[in-house]
Amino acid sequence: MVRKNARYTNGNHKIDLPERGPMESLIYWRDPKKSGAVFAAGLAVLLAMVCFSVISVFAYLSLTLLAATIVFTIYKNVLQAVQKTSDGHPFKNYLEYDLTLSQDKVQQAVTVGVTHVNSVIVELRRLFLVEDLVDSIKFALLLWCLTYVGSWFNGMSIVIISFVALFTLPKVYENNKQSIDGYLDLVRSKVIEITEKAKAAVPIGKKTESDKDK
């Protein structure tokens, strides 16, 4: 199925881009009002979870939503009684919407999840058992950096930063793609160069040709 192009304004220019899925449209701010509402609501919930327990936040949000739907239902019923109309339940369309998960989708999601879990397990085994010394050293450096990240931020702070980054970094990258790609290519080439030199200087942990043949 061919997707239509989405049009958005960048400065004084209108740019046609391929239409994205609902999630991508949100994080790329194709509809600023909708993205802003989702961003503000999500950030408010995350900040509330910093001050209150998850159970309290869930209970208050559910109570607010339930109160709003009850008041709206009563209002619509009174309005129908006064105007003598028979519009039916105000949430009729939502009540008839099929929310059940199909067995095929569940099995597909489980299969994809198991595949990713197996890949992570295999990769961790390779790193912890030093199949490649350089890769294990890089992993150790990453873990060492995470110890500092853990001392600076708690789990909730990292979630909030990740949420804000989700709604900012993709748009920043889209607007500055060429310059960012240039810097990333430069960094990537330097990392590859340093990694190759390190692997050449440290033969320990590398597979020999005879091991590969086996």
Side-chain angles (χ1 to χ4, degrees), residues 8-61:
Y8 82 103
T9 303
N10 184 9
N12 296 323
H13 303 283
K14 291 184 177 180
I15 302 174
D16 289 322
L17 294 171
E19 184 182 348
R20 301 176 185 269
M23 185 61 187
E24 289 178 296
S25 297
L26 283 176
I27 64 176
Y28 280 96
W29 295 78
R30 297 290 179 255
D31 186 345
K33 291 183 179 178
K34 185 182 295 184
S35 297
V38 173
F39 176 72
L43 187 60
V45 171
L46 292 176
L47 292 175
M49 292 174 65
V50 174
C51 303
F52 308 99
S53 68
V54 176
I55 297 176
S56 297
V57 173
F58 173 77
Y60 279 116
L61 285 176

Side-chain angles (χ1 to χ4, degrees), residues 41-206:
L43 187 60
V45 171
L46 292 176
L47 292 175
M49 292 174 65
V50 174
C51 303
F52 308 99
S53 68
V54 176
I55 297 176
S56 297
V57 173
F58 173 77
Y60 279 116
L61 285 176
S62 300
L63 186 60
T64 302
L65 178 61
L66 182 58
T69 54
I70 290 175
V71 170
F72 184 74
T73 301
I74 295 174
Y75 167 75
K76 294 296 290 186
N77 289 336
V78 172
L79 191 62
Q80 291 177 29
V82 172
Q83 296 179 349
K84 300 185 183 303
T85 59
S86 57
D87 295 335
H89 199 284
F91 299 113
K92 180 180 179 181
N93 294 333
Y94 296 100
L95 290 172
E96 294 176 351
Y97 189 79
D98 186 13
L99 296 177
T100 58
L101 295 175
S102 66
Q103 188 174 359
D104 293 337
K105 289 184 178 180
V106 173
Q107 289 179 347
Q108 183 180 2
V110 171
T111 301
V112 173
V114 170
T115 301
H116 286 300
V117 170
N118 289 336
S119 299
V120 170
I121 292 174
V122 171
E123 183 66 15
L124 290 176
R125 180 186 65 181
R126 188 182 73 85
L127 293 171
F128 278 108
L129 298 183
V130 198
E131 180 179 332
D132 188 301
L133 181 60
V134 175
D135 287 344
S136 296
I137 291 175
K138 289 192 294 185
F139 183 58
L141 291 175
L142 175 62
L143 294 177
W144 179 68
C145 292
L146 288 178
T147 61
Y148 284 94
V149 173
S151 64
W152 294 334
F153 308 101
N154 57 28
M156 203 62 222
S157 299
I158 295 176
V159 171
I160 293 174
I161 293 173
S162 301
F163 180 79
V164 173
L166 178 65
F167 276 83
T168 54
L169 295 184
K171 191 62 178 180
V172 171
Y173 173 75
E174 184 181 67
N175 292 337
N176 304 276
K177 189 175 186 302
Q178 291 184 348
S179 58
I180 293 176
D181 283 344
Y183 287 115
L184 289 178
D185 290 338
L186 179 61
V187 172
R188 190 180 298 111
S189 62
K190 291 296 182 182
V191 170
I192 293 175
E193 180 182 352
I194 294 172
T195 302
E196 293 298 328
K197 289 181 179 180
K199 288 184 176 181
V202 185
I204 303 175
K206 295 196 300 183

